[in-house]
Amino acid sequence: MRLRLGCRFEHDASAPTPAVVLVEPHSDADGGLVAERWTSEPALETTSFVDLYGNRCRRLVLPEGPSSFSYDAIFAISPAPEPVPGPDEGQHRIEHLPDELLHWLLASRLCESDALAPRAWELFGGTEPGARRVQAVVDWIHENVEYGVASVPTTGTVEIFERRGGMCRDFAHLGVTLCRALGIPARYVCGYIPDIGIPGPFPPMDFHAWFEVWLGASWWTFDARFNTPRIGRLPVGRGRDAVDVAMVTTYGAASLRRMTVWAYEADERAELTEEPLLETRSG
Amino acid sequence: MRLRLGCRFEHDASAPTPAVVLVEPHSDADGGLVAERWTSEPALETTSFVDLYGNRCRRLVLPEGPSSFSYDAIFAISPAPEPVPGPDEGQHRIEHLPDELLHWLLASRLCESDALAPRAWELFGGTEPGARRVQAVVDWIHENVEYGVASVPTTGTVEIFERRGGMCRDFAHLGVTLCRALGIPARYVCGYIPDIGIPGPFPPMDFHAWFEVWLGASWWTFDARFNTPRIGRLPVGRGRDAVDVAMVTTYGAASLRRMTVWAYEADERAELTEEPLLETRSG
Amino acid sequence: MRLRLGCRFEHDASAPTPAVVLVEPHSDADGGLVAERWTSEPALETTSFVDLYGNRCRRLVLPEGPSSFSYDAIFAISPAPEPVPGPDEGQHRIEHLPDELLHWLLASRLCESDALAPRAWELFGGTEPGARRVQAVVDWIHENVEYGVASVPTTGTVEIFERRGGMCRDFAHLGVTLCRALGIPARYVCGYIPDIGIPGPFPPMDFHAWFEVWLGASWWTFDARFNTPRIGRLPVGRGRDAVDVAMVTTYGAASLRRMTVWAYEADERAELTEEPLLETRSG
Amino acid sequence: MRLRLGCRFEHDASAPTPAVVLVEPHSDADGGLVAERWTSEPALETTSFVDLYGNRCRRLVLPEGPSSFSYDAIFAISPAPEPVPGPDEGQHRIEHLPDELLHWLLASRLCESDALAPRAWELFGGTEPGARRVQAVVDWIHENVEYGVASVPTTGTVEIFERRGGMCRDFAHLGVTLCRALGIPARYVCGYIPDIGIPGPFPPMDFHAWFEVWLGASWWTFDARFNTPRIGRLPVGRGRDAVDVAMVTTYGAASLRRMTVWAYEADERAELTEEPLLETRSG
């Protein structure tokens, strides 16, 4: 199955403004890249780097005045829903966790797992460790937190936990925070998600956020917003929380005028020379 | 000049308790290791790893009942006070910062630089960028924050900023937070500091915390607690904030009974077979 | 100044054949990427990874029958010739080399610096250490080795040294080998080189190979084939020698039918939608 | 079970000589470190670093005249023989190998797998891929190569293959080279090996060399010299071949006067304050 995905950002800057852009699928995304294209208007010089967490970032300087940049790609994906851990998939005792996973137990800016630990144990300490405990956390968030309540980039999970409302980013933060508090390595993920095989009424195309936890011998995807296995989910950035993986970070005087995102099933013969089918949101 | 440094932790656990220990000087510490020794009582098995930030960590499982472990070393250090940046040492424009430094501009659990950015610019926006601005930040903390006001491991910098009081950890967090808010890469450091050439009345030996900022083409040490160049400072851990570099992290049911730290000038012929001269603090 | 660069490989395979492709400019290439495009015919799925040396590689499986893939990009480059070290740029004493540079003193498959050390010291031991010694090595190769003598992928430097003839790859290997033998960290580089500002009669466009040495506080480019500063040199891969940075590695039954490379100065308004101007070589 | 292991090197230098020392067990060694000690006479300053392959190295400068340094440790090890892959443990198709394993298919200085590929396929192409093929390679080396034939540090595997004789290093190189030629990721390992549970007449204690191959989902140890599962094998260095993991590399005018190695089963209550039981070899 083929996925067409990408995004376009339009800015207006009162002075040249440095920016970091993180919109390209992570190199360990399932499936394979068939074609990709990066363009900008006016033509902007960019450099690339891979950050501490393996994310593929671009740097550029937005010029004074209006400018835009776009990423567009075709991906081959599996037509099957994403794998879910079996209910008996085990949780590691801390002493058996691989060294590099200890990092993902630490509290972070927006996931104050240290502060929420007592509440996490109160709510979930009685569940069975492992996949069942993580699913209990996800079910609880899905059922008790209202989707669509606005938050700002500095809204932490303690506040979301009390408010019981948020956006997909906040749902992911809640999952990360509660799992870390319970001794389960967890990381925040943002990326593309197409609306394949989903009975609506979800908005069809946007950036999305979810989280991953370490069970058994691998990372598993959980999504407290949708709470159902999806097709074609494509991670872009992974980090401790949303602070680490902003799609676009501008340092200075640029306004985002418009952001357009696409992620949809495409014909096997789709080419990047065709215009993408768009959903538009004003920034 | 030779430095004898080390520490000893004594725990009592009601069940086997996994722990991570970060007490050995960082591999990029100035000076050279002459001798080092790791011991435990009873004899505990440990494994070593280097974390995401290059810190040298050990893992072990504290047994049920009382146990202790010690690190002891002799280091050759420069007898000169640590280097300080010249007043004209420049601050990079964001677009000229090396890629790997962008990480050190991000807000973190205890350094909410995003939330404090308006206050940082209000206080220091009128100073000259670069070393002078960093020194203004450090002077401000040194003069306006009372040393010795107790805080807990989850106390963030927003709270310290309002309270105007804290411990060395909080002084370092304030420096990190204000610098990041001002676009200057900054990282938290903990380590050993001997009382060489200091007129007191500082407590002579303990773990200490300070911070580093990137100016010109390197990291520079700043210490808002002492605000004077020191001799023989030895970094152990570097991270976004204190969350990343706890000296000992226990996961479970162990109580710290006693912590002993030493860091003092030693004779050129000092050997680890002699007992260290101790200062003791009850945990 | 703008550079249009890229390549196209055409294969014919008797069975599906895995391949690794290394043709995209290194992320630390000077200058900035303006636009880039990856395409294949038929549409092939690819995954990306960054290897141990920071090179940006793609993996794919060539299908049975004919297939092709292309990389095409526009880069903004400096119109000035590349920097050269001053004659006094110093060579580090081994004990002062940064840790990570020791790797680049080791002998490798095609750069037998251990075996050639006596000859290296005999020839260059009397020159002044540092930039002057490296330049003496490069001048010697440029003057004493005949360009255009065919070699095969397993031809090592001991053989090239004796034969006094080779291709650009062999010239680079000689430079790497002699410098390592003399205690100067050196690495092999392959990439694109346009024919800007060069009075010919060099072939205008092809992949090329050169090498870098560590002097003072950075890596410097040396090119024993051309021995003159170039404009717009773009590194693709760096490694111990050519073994580490093959443009295309196929594991199995695929024949390369045609390889096309381009690298030339382009108009400021060049777009990737225009066909590149081609030089063609049969594979 | 406890292992006492370590080594002592004695040098005599006509001028200060920089050196790199690689004698401490690798951080991923099975089992746990109980105690360790590093000492030198006269007291030498050292710095530590982790190389490209994760090996734990020390740097120091040997002074003019005689000097020595020692590493001594107690390790807790499993009393069971090391695990061996089941005969059906599979070999990956190249296209399914994890990205980071491709590196271990490349030819290297002393493992010219490119040159020996025809011979490897001739000899082992008829065997079943996977663990059976690797075992066939190891059996062939064990039966066809004479142990104890002297070689020098620049002796490559092509020469060993023809000569059919070598030391443990050469046996390991042969295994690495033939496996890589057959498309099986392989790496060279050196380390400590005690003589536990072995009916002799092997020399009881020395540094040893073996190799690891990737089968199924992990690295497996193979040892063409002993060709039988051992107890308490402790890896120190891993690399492409012996070039990458010399125990001591000196850059200059130092002579090795004596090297002493120990690795033997120790009492549960063994402490580093007791002298190790020694076997001595003159350098």
Side-chain angles (χ1 to χ4, degrees):
Chain A
M1 189 183 283
R2 292 289 154 91
L3 203 63
R4 175 78 176 262
L5 64 98
C7 59
R8 179 180 164 87
F9 286 82
E10 298 167 57
H11 285 88
D12 203 341
S14 59
T17 304
V20 177
V21 180
L22 174 54
V23 297
E24 301 168 53
H26 198 280
S27 63
D28 70 359
D30 281 330
L33 180 75
V34 173
E36 65 181 338
R37 189 169 51 177
W38 168 271
T39 50
S40 56
E41 173 57 39
L44 303 174
E45 303 176 21
T46 72
T47 59
S48 294
F49 72 103
V50 172
D51 74 10
L52 200 59
Y53 296 117
N55 303 308
R56 189 180 163 196
C57 307
R58 275 185 204 254
R59 297 176 72 174
L60 49 83
V61 176
L62 299 173
E64 193 184 321
S67 65
S68 70
F69 54 83
S70 302
Y71 176 75
D72 195 9
I74 294 172
F75 243 78
I77 57 166
S78 164
E82 60 201 347
V84 294
D88 297 324
E89 197 70 58
Q91 176 179 336
H92 283 266
R93 296 167 62 97
I94 298 288
E95 57 266 45
H96 298 149
L97 275 177
D99 296 332
E100 63 275 20
L101 291 173
L102 294 172
H103 184 78
W104 302 103
L105 291 174
L106 298 172
S108 64
R109 172 69 182 98
L110 301 173
C111 294
E112 310 98 328
S113 48
D114 41 8
L116 279 179
R119 300 307 313 275
W121 283 102
E122 207 176 290
L123 284 167
F124 306 105
T127 62
E128 197 183 335
R132 285 192 176 85
R133 180 165 288 172
V134 176
Q135 192 56 55
V137 166
V138 171
D139 289 342
W140 183 90
I141 300 170
H142 191 68
E143 286 155 23
N144 290 282
V145 182
E146 186 187 354
Y147 179 76
V149 178
S151 58
V152 297
T154 54
T155 306
T157 303
V158 166
E159 189 176 331
I160 295 294
F161 184 84
E162 282 160 12
R163 175 195 299 175
R164 301 281 154 93
M167 306 305 292
C168 67
R169 194 185 55 147
D170 306 307
F171 279 60
H173 283 156
L174 262 170
V176 166
T177 304
L178 293 169
C179 287
R180 285 186 196 156
L182 296 163
I184 305 167
R187 57 190 190 185
Y188 177 91
V189 191
C190 64
Y192 296 92
I193 191 164
D195 62 342
I196 300 171
I198 296 292
F202 303 130
M205 295 180 271
D206 194 2
F207 290 130
H208 184 50
W210 58 90
F211 71 108
E212 293 173 345
V213 300
W214 183 269
L215 292 173
S218 62
W219 289 103
W220 295 94
T221 294
F222 284 88
D223 185 336
R225 162 76 175 100
F226 290 117
N227 203 12
T228 187
R230 298 290 300 253
I231 294 168
R233 191 190 295 270
L234 273 188
V236 166
R238 291 197 180 85
R240 293 196 188 180
D241 58 37
V243 165
D244 294 352
V245 290
M247 293 303 195
V248 178
T249 307
T250 51
Y251 298 88
S255 303
L256 178 63
R257 289 300 182 207
R258 186 178 291 269
M259 175 178 78
T260 317
V261 181
W262 54 97
Y264 57 87
E265 188 181 349
D267 191 80
E268 282 295 314
R269 289 178 204 153
E271 297 200 356
L272 291 182
T273 46
E274 304 155 18
E275 279 297 299
L277 304 173
L278 301 185
E279 289 288 313
T280 303
R281 302 196 321 165
S282 296
Chain B
M1 189 183 281
R2 292 287 155 91
L3 203 63
R4 175 78 176 262
L5 63 98
C7 59
R8 178 180 164 88
F9 286 82
E10 297 166 59
H11 286 88
D12 202 341
S14 59
T17 304
V20 178
V21 181
L22 174 53
V23 297
E24 301 169 54
H26 199 280
S27 64
D28 69 359
D30 281 329
L33 180 75
V34 173
E36 65 181 340
R37 189 168 52 176
W38 168 271
T39 51
S40 55
E41 173 59 38
L44 303 174
E45 301 177 22
T46 72
T47 58
S48 294
F49 71 103
V50 172
D51 75 11
L52 199 61
Y53 296 116
N55 303 310
R56 189 179 163 195
C57 306
R58 277 186 202 252
R59 297 177 73 174
L60 49 84
V61 177
L62 299 173
E64 192 184 320
S67 66
S68 70
F69 54 82
S70 303
Y71 176 75
D72 195 8
I74 295 172
F75 243 77
I77 57 165
S78 163
E82 60 201 345
V84 294
D88 297 324
E89 197 69 58
Q91 177 179 336
H92 281 266
R93 296 167 62 96
I94 298 289
E95 58 267 44
H96 298 148
L97 274 177
D99 296 332
E100 64 275 18
L101 291 173
L102 294 173
H103 184 78
W104 302 104
L105 291 174
L106 297 172
S108 64
R109 173 69 182 96
L110 301 172
C111 296
E112 310 100 326
S113 48
D114 41 8
L116 280 179
R119 301 307 312 277
W121 283 102
E122 209 175 288
L123 284 166
F124 306 105
T127 62
E128 197 183 336
R132 286 193 175 83
R133 180 166 287 172
V134 177
Q135 191 57 55
V137 167
V138 171
D139 289 343
W140 184 89
I141 300 170
H142 190 69
E143 286 155 22
N144 290 280
V145 182
E146 186 186 354
Y147 179 76
V149 179
S151 59
V152 298
T154 54
T155 307
T157 303
V158 166
E159 191 177 329
I160 296 294
F161 184 84
E162 282 160 12
R163 175 194 299 176
R164 302 282 155 93
M167 307 304 294
C168 67
R169 196 184 54 147
D170 307 305
F171 278 61
H173 282 156
L174 262 171
V176 166
T177 305
L178 294 169
C179 286
R180 285 187 196 157
L182 296 163
I184 305 167
R187 57 189 189 187
Y188 177 91
V189 192
C190 65
Y192 296 92
I193 191 165
D195 62 342
I196 300 171
I198 295 292
F202 304 130
M205 296 180 269
D206 194 2
F207 289 130
H208 183 52
W210 59 90
F211 71 108
E212 293 173 344
V213 301
W214 183 268
L215 294 173
S218 62
W219 289 103
W220 296 94
T221 294
F222 283 89
D223 185 336
R225 162 79 174 97
F226 290 116
N227 203 13
T228 186
R230 297 290 300 254
I231 294 169
R233 192 189 294 270
L234 273 189
V236 165
R238 292 195 181 83
R240 292 196 189 181
D241 57 36
V243 165
D244 294 352
V245 290
M247 292 304 194
V248 178
T249 308
T250 51
Y251 298 89
S255 303
L256 177 63
R257 291 299 181 207
R258 186 180 290 270
M259 177 179 76
T260 316
V261 181
W262 54 97
Y264 57 88
E265 188 180 349
D267 191 79
E268 282 294 315
R269 291 178 202 151
E271 297 199 358
L272 292 182
T273 46
E274 305 154 18
E275 278 297 300
L277 304 173
L278 302 184
E279 289 288 310
T280 303
R281 301 196 320 167
S282 295
Chain C
M1 188 183 282
R2 292 288 154 89
L3 204 63
R4 176 78 176 262
L5 63 99
C7 58
R8 178 179 164 86
F9 285 82
E10 297 166 60
H11 285 89
D12 203 340
S14 59
T17 303
V20 177
V21 181
L22 174 54
V23 297
E24 302 169 51
H26 199 280
S27 63
D28 69 359
D30 280 329
L33 180 75
V34 173
E36 64 180 340
R37 190 168 52 177
W38 168 270
T39 51
S40 54
E41 173 55 39
L44 303 174
E45 303 177 22
T46 72
T47 58
S48 294
F49 71 103
V50 172
D51 74 10
L52 200 61
Y53 296 117
N55 302 310
R56 189 180 164 196
C57 307
R58 278 186 203 253
R59 297 176 72 174
L60 49 83
V61 177
L62 298 172
E64 192 183 320
S67 65
S68 70
F69 54 83
S70 303
Y71 176 76
D72 195 8
I74 295 172
F75 243 78
I77 57 165
S78 163
E82 60 201 346
V84 294
D88 296 325
E89 197 70 59
Q91 176 179 336
H92 282 267
R93 296 166 62 95
I94 299 288
E95 57 266 46
H96 298 149
L97 275 177
D99 296 332
E100 64 274 19
L101 291 173
L102 294 172
H103 184 78
W104 302 104
L105 292 175
L106 298 172
S108 64
R109 173 69 180 97
L110 302 172
C111 294
E112 310 98 328
S113 48
D114 40 9
L116 280 179
R119 302 306 313 275
W121 283 102
E122 207 175 289
L123 284 167
F124 307 105
T127 61
E128 197 183 336
R132 285 192 175 84
R133 179 166 288 173
V134 178
Q135 191 56 55
V137 167
V138 171
D139 289 343
W140 183 89
I141 301 170
H142 190 69
E143 286 155 23
N144 290 281
V145 182
E146 185 186 356
Y147 179 76
V149 178
S151 58
V152 297
T154 53
T155 306
T157 303
V158 166
E159 189 176 331
I160 296 294
F161 183 84
E162 282 159 14
R163 175 194 301 175
R164 302 282 154 95
M167 306 305 292
C168 65
R169 195 185 54 146
D170 306 307
F171 278 61
H173 282 157
L174 261 172
V176 165
T177 304
L178 294 170
C179 286
R180 285 187 195 156
L182 297 163
I184 304 167
R187 56 191 191 187
Y188 177 91
V189 192
C190 64
Y192 297 92
I193 190 164
D195 62 342
I196 301 171
I198 295 292
F202 304 132
M205 295 179 273
D206 194 2
F207 289 129
H208 184 51
W210 58 91
F211 72 109
E212 293 173 345
V213 301
W214 183 268
L215 293 173
S218 62
W219 289 103
W220 296 93
T221 294
F222 282 89
D223 185 335
R225 161 77 174 100
F226 290 116
N227 203 13
T228 184
R230 296 292 297 254
I231 294 168
R233 193 189 294 271
L234 272 188
V236 165
R238 292 195 180 86
R240 291 196 190 182
D241 57 37
V243 165
D244 294 351
V245 291
M247 292 305 194
V248 178
T249 308
T250 51
Y251 299 87
S255 302
L256 178 63
R257 289 301 181 206
R258 186 179 292 268
M259 176 179 76
T260 318
V261 181
W262 54 96
Y264 57 87
E265 188 180 351
D267 191 79
E268 282 293 315
R269 290 178 203 151
E271 297 200 357
L272 292 182
T273 46
E274 304 154 18
E275 279 297 300
L277 304 172
L278 301 185
E279 288 287 315
T280 303
R281 301 198 319 169
S282 294
Chain D
M1 188 184 282
R2 293 288 154 89
L3 204 63
R4 176 78 175 262
L5 64 97
C7 59
R8 178 180 164 88
F9 286 81
E10 297 165 59
H11 285 88
D12 203 340
S14 59
T17 304
V20 177
V21 181
L22 174 53
V23 297
E24 301 169 51
H26 198 279
S27 64
D28 70 359
D30 280 330
L33 179 75
V34 173
E36 65 180 340
R37 190 169 51 178
W38 169 272
T39 50
S40 55
E41 173 58 38
L44 303 173
E45 303 177 23
T46 72
T47 58
S48 294
F49 71 103
V50 172
D51 75 9
L52 201 60
Y53 296 116
N55 303 310
R56 186 180 166 196
C57 307
R58 278 186 201 252
R59 297 176 71 174
L60 49 83
V61 177
L62 298 173
E64 192 184 321
S67 65
S68 70
F69 53 83
S70 303
Y71 176 75
D72 194 8
I74 295 172
F75 243 77
I77 57 165
S78 163
E82 60 201 346
V84 295
D88 297 325
E89 198 70 58
Q91 177 179 338
H92 282 266
R93 297 167 61 95
I94 299 288
E95 57 267 45
H96 298 149
L97 275 178
D99 296 333
E100 64 274 18
L101 292 173
L102 295 172
H103 184 78
W104 303 104
L105 292 174
L106 298 172
S108 64
R109 173 68 181 96
L110 301 173
C111 294
E112 310 99 328
S113 48
D114 40 8
L116 280 179
R119 303 304 313 275
W121 283 102
E122 209 175 288
L123 285 167
F124 306 105
T127 61
E128 196 183 337
R132 285 193 176 83
R133 180 165 289 173
V134 177
Q135 191 56 55
V137 167
V138 171
D139 288 343
W140 183 90
I141 300 170
H142 190 69
E143 286 155 23
N144 291 280
V145 182
E146 185 187 354
Y147 179 77
V149 179
S151 59
V152 297
T154 53
T155 307
T157 304
V158 167
E159 189 176 330
I160 296 294
F161 183 84
E162 283 159 13
R163 174 193 303 176
R164 301 279 156 97
M167 307 304 293
C168 66
R169 195 185 56 147
D170 306 307
F171 278 61
H173 283 155
L174 262 171
V176 165
T177 304
L178 294 169
C179 286
R180 285 186 195 157
L182 296 163
I184 305 167
R187 58 189 189 187
Y188 177 91
V189 192
C190 64
Y192 296 91
I193 191 164
D195 62 342
I196 300 172
I198 295 292
F202 303 130
M205 295 178 271
D206 194 1
F207 290 129
H208 183 51
W210 59 91
F211 72 109
E212 293 173 344
V213 301
W214 183 268
L215 293 173
S218 62
W219 290 102
W220 296 93
T221 294
F222 283 89
D223 185 337
R225 160 77 174 99
F226 290 116
N227 203 12
T228 186
R230 296 292 298 253
I231 294 169
R233 194 189 292 271
L234 274 188
V236 165
R238 291 196 180 84
R240 292 196 188 182
D241 57 35
V243 164
D244 295 352
V245 291
M247 292 305 195
V248 177
T249 308
T250 50
Y251 298 88
S255 303
L256 177 63
R257 290 300 181 205
R258 185 179 291 269
M259 175 179 79
T260 316
V261 181
W262 54 98
Y264 58 87
E265 188 182 349
D267 191 79
E268 282 295 313
R269 290 179 204 150
E271 296 199 358
L272 292 181
T273 46
E274 304 154 18
E275 279 296 300
L277 303 174
L278 301 185
E279 289 287 313
T280 303
R281 301 199 318 169
S282 294

